[in-house]
Short mmCIF file of all heavy atoms in Angstrom, two decimals:
data_model
loop_
_atom_site.label_atom_id
_atom_site.label_comp_id
_atom_site.label_asym_id
_atom_site.label_seq_id
_atom_site.Cartn_x
_atom_site.Cartn_y
_atom_site.Cartn_z
N ASP A 21 -2.35 15.12 10.55
CA ASP A 21 -2.51 16.09 9.43
C ASP A 21 -1.50 15.77 8.33
O ASP A 21 -1.24 16.62 7.47
CB ASP A 21 -2.32 17.51 9.92
CG ASP A 21 -0.92 17.73 10.53
OD1 ASP A 21 -0.23 16.76 10.81
OD2 ASP A 21 -0.57 18.93 10.76
N ALA A 22 -0.92 14.60 8.32
CA ALA A 22 0.06 14.24 7.26
C ALA A 22 -0.34 12.92 6.62
O ALA A 22 -1.23 12.20 7.09
CB ALA A 22 1.44 14.14 7.87
N THR A 23 0.31 12.61 5.54
CA THR A 23 0.10 11.32 4.87
C THR A 23 1.29 10.45 5.13
O THR A 23 2.44 10.92 5.24
CB THR A 23 -0.16 11.44 3.40
OG1 THR A 23 0.96 12.06 2.77
CG2 THR A 23 -1.39 12.24 3.11
N VAL A 24 1.09 9.12 5.21
CA VAL A 24 2.20 8.19 5.43
C VAL A 24 2.02 7.07 4.41
O VAL A 24 0.99 6.89 3.83
CB VAL A 24 2.22 7.62 6.83
CG1 VAL A 24 2.47 8.73 7.84
CG2 VAL A 24 0.92 6.88 7.14
N ILE A 25 3.09 6.30 4.19
CA ILE A 25 3.01 5.13 3.39
C ILE A 25 3.31 3.93 4.30
O ILE A 25 3.92 4.08 5.36
CB ILE A 25 3.99 5.11 2.20
CG1 ILE A 25 5.40 5.39 2.64
CG2 ILE A 25 3.55 6.19 1.16
CD1 ILE A 25 6.44 5.35 1.51
N GLY A 26 2.87 2.76 3.91
CA GLY A 26 2.95 1.57 4.77
C GLY A 26 4.36 1.20 5.07
O GLY A 26 5.29 1.45 4.36
N THR A 27 4.52 0.45 6.19
CA THR A 27 5.84 0.02 6.66
C THR A 27 6.45 -0.98 5.65
O THR A 27 7.66 -0.99 5.51
CB THR A 27 5.77 -0.59 8.01
OG1 THR A 27 4.77 -1.62 8.03
CG2 THR A 27 5.34 0.44 9.06
N THR A 28 5.61 -1.79 5.01
CA THR A 28 6.19 -2.73 4.04
C THR A 28 6.86 -1.98 2.91
O THR A 28 8.03 -2.28 2.53
CB THR A 28 5.09 -3.68 3.48
OG1 THR A 28 4.59 -4.44 4.55
CG2 THR A 28 5.66 -4.60 2.43
N THR A 29 6.20 -0.99 2.39
CA THR A 29 6.76 -0.16 1.30
C THR A 29 8.01 0.54 1.78
O THR A 29 9.04 0.56 1.07
CB THR A 29 5.75 0.85 0.79
OG1 THR A 29 4.57 0.19 0.33
CG2 THR A 29 6.31 1.71 -0.34
N GLN A 30 7.95 1.13 2.97
CA GLN A 30 9.11 1.84 3.50
C GLN A 30 10.31 0.88 3.61
O GLN A 30 11.46 1.27 3.22
CB GLN A 30 8.78 2.38 4.91
CG GLN A 30 7.78 3.54 4.86
CD GLN A 30 7.45 4.06 6.27
OE1 GLN A 30 7.79 3.38 7.27
NE2 GLN A 30 6.82 5.18 6.33
N ARG A 31 10.10 -0.26 4.13
CA ARG A 31 11.25 -1.18 4.35
C ARG A 31 11.81 -1.70 3.05
O ARG A 31 13.05 -1.83 2.87
CB ARG A 31 10.78 -2.33 5.23
CG ARG A 31 10.54 -1.91 6.68
CD ARG A 31 10.02 -3.08 7.51
NE ARG A 31 10.95 -4.18 7.55
CZ ARG A 31 10.61 -5.42 7.93
NH1 ARG A 31 9.35 -5.66 8.26
NH2 ARG A 31 11.53 -6.37 7.92
N ILE A 32 10.95 -1.98 2.09
CA ILE A 32 11.43 -2.45 0.80
C ILE A 32 12.23 -1.37 0.10
O ILE A 32 13.34 -1.59 -0.42
CB ILE A 32 10.25 -2.93 -0.08
CG1 ILE A 32 9.70 -4.20 0.46
CG2 ILE A 32 10.72 -3.11 -1.55
CD1 ILE A 32 8.40 -4.64 -0.23
N THR A 33 11.74 -0.17 0.14
CA THR A 33 12.40 0.97 -0.51
C THR A 33 13.73 1.28 0.23
O THR A 33 14.72 1.64 -0.40
CB THR A 33 11.53 2.21 -0.51
OG1 THR A 33 10.25 1.85 -0.99
CG2 THR A 33 12.10 3.29 -1.41
N ARG A 34 13.73 1.13 1.50
CA ARG A 34 14.92 1.45 2.31
C ARG A 34 16.06 0.43 2.12
O ARG A 34 17.23 0.78 2.06
CB ARG A 34 14.54 1.52 3.80
CG ARG A 34 15.71 1.69 4.77
CD ARG A 34 16.38 3.04 4.54
NE ARG A 34 17.47 3.23 5.46
CZ ARG A 34 18.71 2.76 5.29
NH1 ARG A 34 18.99 2.02 4.24
NH2 ARG A 34 19.66 3.02 6.16
N PHE A 35 15.69 -0.87 2.03
CA PHE A 35 16.75 -1.90 2.12
C PHE A 35 16.97 -2.66 0.79
O PHE A 35 17.85 -3.52 0.73
CB PHE A 35 16.40 -2.92 3.20
CG PHE A 35 16.45 -2.33 4.60
CD1 PHE A 35 15.29 -2.07 5.30
CD2 PHE A 35 17.65 -1.99 5.18
CE1 PHE A 35 15.33 -1.51 6.58
CE2 PHE A 35 17.70 -1.38 6.43
CZ PHE A 35 16.54 -1.20 7.14
N ALA A 36 16.17 -2.37 -0.24
CA ALA A 36 16.36 -3.09 -1.51
C ALA A 36 17.79 -2.87 -2.08
O ALA A 36 18.31 -1.81 -1.99
CB ALA A 36 15.29 -2.66 -2.53
N ARG A 37 18.28 -3.93 -2.71
CA ARG A 37 19.61 -3.82 -3.30
C ARG A 37 19.55 -3.49 -4.78
O ARG A 37 20.51 -3.62 -5.52
CB ARG A 37 20.36 -5.16 -3.11
CG ARG A 37 20.54 -5.51 -1.62
CD ARG A 37 21.24 -6.82 -1.42
NE ARG A 37 22.59 -6.80 -1.96
CZ ARG A 37 23.40 -7.87 -1.96
NH1 ARG A 37 22.97 -9.02 -1.51
NH2 ARG A 37 24.64 -7.76 -2.44
N CYS A 38 18.33 -3.09 -5.21
CA CYS A 38 18.14 -2.65 -6.61
C CYS A 38 17.18 -1.46 -6.56
O CYS A 38 16.57 -1.21 -5.51
CB CYS A 38 17.58 -3.78 -7.46
SG CYS A 38 15.96 -4.35 -6.98
N PRO A 39 17.03 -0.71 -7.63
CA PRO A 39 16.09 0.38 -7.65
C PRO A 39 14.65 -0.08 -7.35
O PRO A 39 14.30 -1.25 -7.65
CB PRO A 39 16.20 0.94 -9.08
CG PRO A 39 17.59 0.54 -9.52
CD PRO A 39 17.84 -0.78 -8.89
N VAL A 40 13.90 0.79 -6.76
CA VAL A 40 12.48 0.49 -6.41
C VAL A 40 11.57 1.56 -7.01
O VAL A 40 11.77 2.75 -6.81
CB VAL A 40 12.24 0.44 -4.90
CG1 VAL A 40 10.79 0.19 -4.58
CG2 VAL A 40 13.16 -0.58 -4.25
N LEU A 41 10.60 1.10 -7.82
CA LEU A 41 9.59 2.02 -8.38
C LEU A 41 8.37 1.93 -7.45
O LEU A 41 7.72 0.88 -7.33
CB LEU A 41 9.20 1.63 -9.76
CG LEU A 41 8.06 2.45 -10.39
CD1 LEU A 41 8.47 3.87 -10.61
CD2 LEU A 41 7.60 1.82 -11.70
N THR A 42 8.07 3.02 -6.75
CA THR A 42 6.89 3.10 -5.86
C THR A 42 5.76 3.81 -6.63
O THR A 42 5.87 4.99 -6.95
CB THR A 42 7.21 3.88 -4.57
OG1 THR A 42 8.34 3.21 -3.96
CG2 THR A 42 6.04 3.84 -3.60
N VAL A 43 4.68 3.03 -6.84
CA VAL A 43 3.51 3.61 -7.51
C VAL A 43 2.53 4.03 -6.43
O VAL A 43 2.01 3.18 -5.68
CB VAL A 43 2.89 2.55 -8.45
CG1 VAL A 43 1.65 3.13 -9.15
CG2 VAL A 43 3.89 2.08 -9.48
N VAL A 44 2.32 5.30 -6.29
CA VAL A 44 1.54 5.84 -5.16
C VAL A 44 0.08 6.12 -5.53
O VAL A 44 -0.23 6.38 -6.69
CB VAL A 44 2.17 7.10 -4.59
CG1 VAL A 44 3.54 6.83 -3.99
CG2 VAL A 44 2.32 8.18 -5.71
N ARG A 45 -0.76 5.99 -4.53
CA ARG A 45 -2.16 6.26 -4.69
C ARG A 45 -2.62 7.08 -3.48
O ARG A 45 -2.30 6.75 -2.35
CB ARG A 45 -2.96 4.97 -4.79
CG ARG A 45 -4.44 5.15 -5.07
CD ARG A 45 -5.15 3.80 -5.12
NE ARG A 45 -6.58 3.95 -5.36
CZ ARG A 45 -7.13 3.86 -6.56
NH1 ARG A 45 -6.42 3.63 -7.62
NH2 ARG A 45 -8.46 4.01 -6.70
N LYS A 46 -3.36 8.13 -3.72
CA LYS A 46 -3.81 9.00 -2.63
C LYS A 46 -4.75 8.23 -1.72
O LYS A 46 -5.46 7.32 -2.08
CB LYS A 46 -4.56 10.22 -3.18
CG LYS A 46 -3.61 11.25 -3.82
CD LYS A 46 -2.65 11.82 -2.84
CE LYS A 46 -1.78 12.92 -3.43
NZ LYS A 46 -0.81 13.45 -2.49
N ALA A 47 -4.73 8.65 -0.45
CA ALA A 47 -5.58 7.97 0.57
C ALA A 47 -7.05 8.18 0.28
O ALA A 47 -7.54 9.29 0.10
CB ALA A 47 -5.23 8.56 1.94
N LYS A 48 -7.77 7.04 0.21
CA LYS A 48 -9.22 7.06 -0.01
C LYS A 48 -9.82 5.95 0.87
O LYS A 48 -9.74 4.78 0.51
CB LYS A 48 -9.55 6.80 -1.47
CG LYS A 48 -9.12 7.93 -2.41
CD LYS A 48 -9.59 7.65 -3.84
CE LYS A 48 -9.19 8.80 -4.77
NZ LYS A 48 -9.62 8.52 -6.17
N PRO A 49 -10.36 6.33 2.03
CA PRO A 49 -10.86 5.33 2.95
C PRO A 49 -11.85 4.34 2.31
O PRO A 49 -11.81 3.13 2.60
CB PRO A 49 -11.57 6.16 4.02
CG PRO A 49 -10.83 7.48 4.00
CD PRO A 49 -10.50 7.69 2.54
N GLU A 50 -12.70 4.83 1.42
CA GLU A 50 -13.70 3.94 0.81
C GLU A 50 -13.04 2.90 -0.09
O GLU A 50 -13.49 1.76 -0.18
CB GLU A 50 -14.70 4.75 0.00
CG GLU A 50 -14.20 5.46 -1.22
CD GLU A 50 -13.54 6.79 -0.92
OE1 GLU A 50 -13.33 7.07 0.25
OE2 GLU A 50 -13.28 7.54 -1.86
N VAL A 51 -11.89 3.29 -0.73
CA VAL A 51 -11.16 2.35 -1.56
C VAL A 51 -10.47 1.28 -0.71
O VAL A 51 -10.46 0.13 -1.05
CB VAL A 51 -10.12 3.08 -2.44
CG1 VAL A 51 -9.24 2.06 -3.15
CG2 VAL A 51 -10.81 3.97 -3.44
N GLU A 52 -9.91 1.73 0.40
CA GLU A 52 -9.24 0.77 1.31
C GLU A 52 -10.24 -0.27 1.83
O GLU A 52 -9.91 -1.45 1.90
CB GLU A 52 -8.61 1.53 2.50
CG GLU A 52 -7.47 2.42 2.10
CD GLU A 52 -6.88 3.16 3.27
OE1 GLU A 52 -6.81 2.53 4.33
OE2 GLU A 52 -6.50 4.34 3.14
N LYS A 53 -11.47 0.18 2.18
CA LYS A 53 -12.49 -0.78 2.63
C LYS A 53 -12.90 -1.74 1.54
O LYS A 53 -13.06 -2.94 1.77
CB LYS A 53 -13.71 -0.03 3.16
CG LYS A 53 -13.46 0.80 4.44
CD LYS A 53 -14.73 1.57 4.82
CE LYS A 53 -14.46 2.39 6.09
NZ LYS A 53 -15.66 3.18 6.50
N HIS A 54 -13.02 -1.21 0.32
CA HIS A 54 -13.37 -2.05 -0.82
C HIS A 54 -12.30 -3.11 -1.08
O HIS A 54 -12.59 -4.26 -1.32
CB HIS A 54 -13.59 -1.19 -2.07
CG HIS A 54 -13.83 -2.01 -3.32
ND1 HIS A 54 -12.75 -2.42 -4.11
CD2 HIS A 54 -14.95 -2.44 -3.93
CE1 HIS A 54 -13.24 -3.11 -5.13
NE2 HIS A 54 -14.59 -3.12 -5.04
N ASP A 55 -11.01 -2.66 -1.00
CA ASP A 55 -9.89 -3.58 -1.24
C ASP A 55 -9.88 -4.72 -0.21
O ASP A 55 -9.66 -5.85 -0.54
CB ASP A 55 -8.57 -2.83 -1.18
CG ASP A 55 -8.33 -1.98 -2.47
OD1 ASP A 55 -9.05 -2.20 -3.47
OD2 ASP A 55 -7.45 -1.13 -2.41
N ALA A 56 -10.12 -4.36 1.05
CA ALA A 56 -10.11 -5.36 2.10
C ALA A 56 -11.23 -6.37 1.90
O ALA A 56 -11.02 -7.58 2.07
CB ALA A 56 -10.24 -4.67 3.47
N ARG A 57 -12.41 -5.88 1.55
CA ARG A 57 -13.54 -6.77 1.31
C ARG A 57 -13.28 -7.65 0.10
O ARG A 57 -13.58 -8.85 0.11
CB ARG A 57 -14.80 -5.94 1.07
CG ARG A 57 -16.07 -6.78 0.94
CD ARG A 57 -17.31 -5.92 0.94
NE ARG A 57 -17.32 -4.99 -0.20
CZ ARG A 57 -17.12 -3.66 -0.12
NH1 ARG A 57 -16.89 -3.11 1.07
NH2 ARG A 57 -17.16 -2.92 -1.19
N LYS A 58 -12.69 -7.08 -0.98
CA LYS A 58 -12.44 -7.83 -2.20
C LYS A 58 -11.40 -8.94 -1.97
O LYS A 58 -11.55 -10.05 -2.49
CB LYS A 58 -11.97 -6.88 -3.29
CG LYS A 58 -11.93 -7.50 -4.70
CD LYS A 58 -13.31 -7.91 -5.16
CE LYS A 58 -13.30 -8.42 -6.56
NZ LYS A 58 -14.65 -8.83 -6.99
N ARG A 59 -10.35 -8.59 -1.18
CA ARG A 59 -9.37 -9.62 -0.88
C ARG A 59 -9.99 -10.85 -0.17
O ARG A 59 -9.66 -11.98 -0.51
CB ARG A 59 -8.23 -9.04 0.02
CG ARG A 59 -7.25 -8.17 -0.70
CD ARG A 59 -5.99 -7.95 0.10
NE ARG A 59 -6.28 -7.33 1.40
CZ ARG A 59 -6.36 -5.97 1.59
NH1 ARG A 59 -6.17 -5.21 0.55
NH2 ARG A 59 -6.57 -5.49 2.78
N GLU A 60 -10.87 -10.55 0.76
CA GLU A 60 -11.51 -11.65 1.47
C GLU A 60 -12.39 -12.47 0.56
O GLU A 60 -12.44 -13.71 0.62
CB GLU A 60 -12.34 -11.07 2.65
CG GLU A 60 -13.00 -12.13 3.50
CD GLU A 60 -12.02 -13.07 4.13
OE1 GLU A 60 -10.90 -12.64 4.43
OE2 GLU A 60 -12.39 -14.28 4.37
N GLU A 61 -13.11 -11.79 -0.33
CA GLU A 61 -13.95 -12.49 -1.27
C GLU A 61 -13.15 -13.38 -2.25
O GLU A 61 -13.54 -14.52 -2.51
CB GLU A 61 -14.77 -11.48 -2.11
CG GLU A 61 -15.86 -10.75 -1.29
CD GLU A 61 -16.54 -9.64 -2.12
OE1 GLU A 61 -16.13 -9.46 -3.29
OE2 GLU A 61 -17.46 -9.00 -1.62
N LEU A 62 -12.02 -12.83 -2.71
CA LEU A 62 -11.22 -13.62 -3.67
C LEU A 62 -10.73 -14.89 -3.04
O LEU A 62 -10.69 -15.94 -3.67
CB LEU A 62 -10.05 -12.78 -4.14
CG LEU A 62 -10.32 -11.74 -5.19
CD1 LEU A 62 -9.12 -10.76 -5.34
CD2 LEU A 62 -10.64 -12.38 -6.53
N VAL A 63 -10.32 -14.81 -1.79
CA VAL A 63 -9.74 -15.97 -1.12
C VAL A 63 -10.83 -16.94 -0.69
O VAL A 63 -10.68 -18.16 -0.78
CB VAL A 63 -8.95 -15.53 0.10
CG1 VAL A 63 -8.47 -16.74 0.88
CG2 VAL A 63 -7.71 -14.72 -0.36
#
């Protein structure tokens, strides 16, 4: 019942030696599926 952000973002924000700007986007399953498909197509 909660939202989370990815471990890569968490680790970068936690350990970076400079400020970190995190640009957030609300969870949208259909967008995540589209992004995964598009990445594969691009490559």
Side-chain angles (χ1 to χ4, degrees):
D21 60 347
T23 60
V24 297
I25 56 177
T27 54
T28 296
T29 301
Q30 290 179 347
R31 290 175 60 196
I32 290 172
T33 310
R34 173 66 179 84
F35 294 108
R37 300 179 64 183
C38 64
V40 178
L41 175 67
T42 303
V43 180
V44 293
R45 184 182 179 96
K46 288 296 185 182
K48 293 183 179 180
E50 66 277 10
V51 172
E52 294 179 37
K53 291 179 182 178
H54 174 272
D55 286 344
R57 185 171 63 252
K58 191 65 176 178
R59 285 197 300 273
E60 182 60 32
E61 290 174 357
L62 282 167
V63 173

